[in-house]
Amino acid sequence: MLLSIACEVPVPLRVFVAGATGVVGRHLLPMLAERGHHVTALVNGEPRFSSGADTLLSADLFDFPGLRHALRVAAPDTVLQLSGPDGADTEEALWHTARLREQGTRNLLAAAAEVGVRRVVVRSSATAYAPRGHEVADEQADLFTTAPGNWGEACRAVEEMERVLLQEPEIEGVALRFGELYGADTPFAESGDVYRLVRGSALPLVETGGGVTSFTHVEDAAAAVLEALHDVEPAAYNVVDNEPAESGEWLPAYARMIGGPEPVSLTLEQANQQLDWATVHRLTEQRGASNFRFREVSGWRPRWPSWREGLTNLFGFWPV
């Protein structure tokens, strides 16, 4: 019996983390260290301290030879690509995110395959689904690849990144589609981008606020990555909380929690004149996502099953 129990304990791995200094990486690294994994953190430019990392290596995801060298030095079992947008989805941020997902992740996958990495886990997005009414999306739903501008570029990059990842024959690829990240150091935290917009009455309700957001607390995102290190079947998975919410519900509640003014209301015509396309899309027609599949194939359960609980923990005030 003792032998049986011991065999169920995950074997410590050598883990290579791109995006270690980002919002998900900062939460994940202490978890990896606690489980006894040997962590190599990839940093861009001069190496700097990253809590929980055993080794720091400097390389750029867009520099394939340098990336390959870093992976050879680290000799990891598993590679994590957690780089991504940690701020507001500006046009510039969307463009950079698309390039990072497509070119940067492609470089990382190619280098990982060359050095014999077994598993690669990448950060993906549950905000990329095409609008289809109010039914939440599972992983088979279409992505919004026909969207205009840089939002469409970002959605097409998600599709291409996941295609390359899941078709690489030498690698077990897992894509974790995070929802709207919130928690410490995110746009929803004090002084974050969303916080400032709402406090300044710059994020309105549009029409009835029918756009649906699926939230993911950064702690739950990091815990999902931890689960994906081992026996989760290669695939793309939604990693979101249990309560998708319309903007007409979460936005006024969030404003009250942070002591901000009640959001102003705009018609769709007014919103199209005053706001960028992506913001109007997210507030009016964005589709939420279901976490059912990842819950079924892993031991993951969100510590914060509702954005209400997570935001209450962040601000100490229950939304009414």
Side-chain angles (χ1 to χ4, degrees):
M1 177 63 72
L2 289 177
L3 178 61
S4 173
I5 293 174
C7 289
E8 295 176 3
V9 178
V11 175
L13 300 171
R14 296 180 64 84
V15 182
F16 183 94
V17 186
T21 59
V23 65
V24 178
R26 291 196 299 273
H27 284 82
L28 175 65
L29 261 59
M31 298 180 183
L32 292 170
E34 185 178 342
R35 297 287 183 95
H37 300 301
H38 182 281
V39 178
T40 297
L42 182 70
V43 293
N44 187 3
E46 289 298 316
R48 62 180 185 266
F49 175 74
S50 187
S51 177
D54 300 285
T55 306
L56 298 180
L57 292 176
S58 179
D60 190 318
L61 288 177
F62 300 110
D63 173 18
F64 177 75
L67 196 56
R68 180 176 55 193
H69 174 73
L71 281 166
R72 283 176 174 162
V73 171
D77 303 297
T78 300
V79 167
L80 308 179
Q81 193 335 40
L82 304 180
S83 302
D86 290 337
D89 288 328
T90 62
E91 286 296 301
E92 182 179 359
L94 287 169
W95 177 86
H96 178 73
T97 299
R99 182 168 177 258
L100 181 67
R101 284 172 175 158
E102 198 161 349
Q103 184 181 338
T105 304
R106 185 187 294 273
N107 286 343
L108 188 60
L109 283 168
E114 278 200 28
V115 303
V117 172
R118 179 184 66 89
R119 173 165 287 226
V120 175
V121 180
V122 305
R123 171 180 173 178
S124 190
S125 177
T127 66
Y129 290 111
R132 293 287 188 275
H134 284 72
E135 184 178 351
V136 294
D138 64 18
E139 291 81 356
Q140 303 306 310
D142 292 335
L143 301 182
F144 201 3
T145 56
T146 60
N150 285 332
W151 189 271
E153 290 290 338
C155 292
R156 289 187 289 275
V158 167
E159 183 177 66
E160 177 63 11
M161 176 185 71
E162 293 184 356
R163 184 192 68 79
V164 173
L165 172 71
L166 300 176
Q167 290 183 3
E168 171 55 58
E170 303 300 323
I171 285 176
E172 298 174 359
V174 177
L176 300 179
R177 296 176 175 176
F178 298 144
E180 194 72 45
L181 289 173
Y182 76 103
D185 302 321
T186 70
F188 286 84
E190 187 172 355
S191 299
D193 293 332
V194 174
Y195 180 94
R196 290 195 298 269
L197 287 172
V198 173
R199 290 274 295 187
S201 292
L203 192 61
L205 285 175
V206 181
E207 298 288 349
T208 60
V212 179
T213 296
S214 283
F215 289 91
T216 307
H217 196 287
V218 287
E219 293 175 4
D220 289 326
V225 176
L226 203 62
E227 286 292 329
L229 291 180
H230 290 280
D231 296 326
V232 172
E233 179 183 353
Y237 299 98
N238 293 330
V239 177
V240 296
D241 73 9
N242 299 344
E243 190 184 348
E246 293 186 355
S247 61
E249 181 179 14
W250 71 259
L251 182 52
Y254 176 71
R256 290 191 291 272
M257 294 179 80
I258 65 174
E262 194 73 14
V264 298
S265 295
L266 299 180
T267 65
L268 184 58
E269 182 180 2
Q270 290 171 326
N272 286 329
Q273 293 172 348
Q274 299 179 33
L275 304 173
D276 62 275
W277 181 92
T279 298
V280 176
H281 160 69
R282 301 182 80 163
L283 294 173
T284 61
E285 63 175 3
Q286 181 172 261
R287 190 175 181 187
S290 167
N291 65 18
F292 175 80
R293 188 181 183 198
F294 192 62
R295 287 167 59 98
E296 286 292 296
V297 303
S298 73
W300 179 83
R301 298 292 184 273
R303 178 185 178 189
W304 307 105
S306 167
W307 54 274
R308 300 172 191 274
E309 296 165 315
L311 289 173
T312 295
N313 178 70
L314 190 61
F315 295 108
F317 183 83
W318 183 262
V320 293

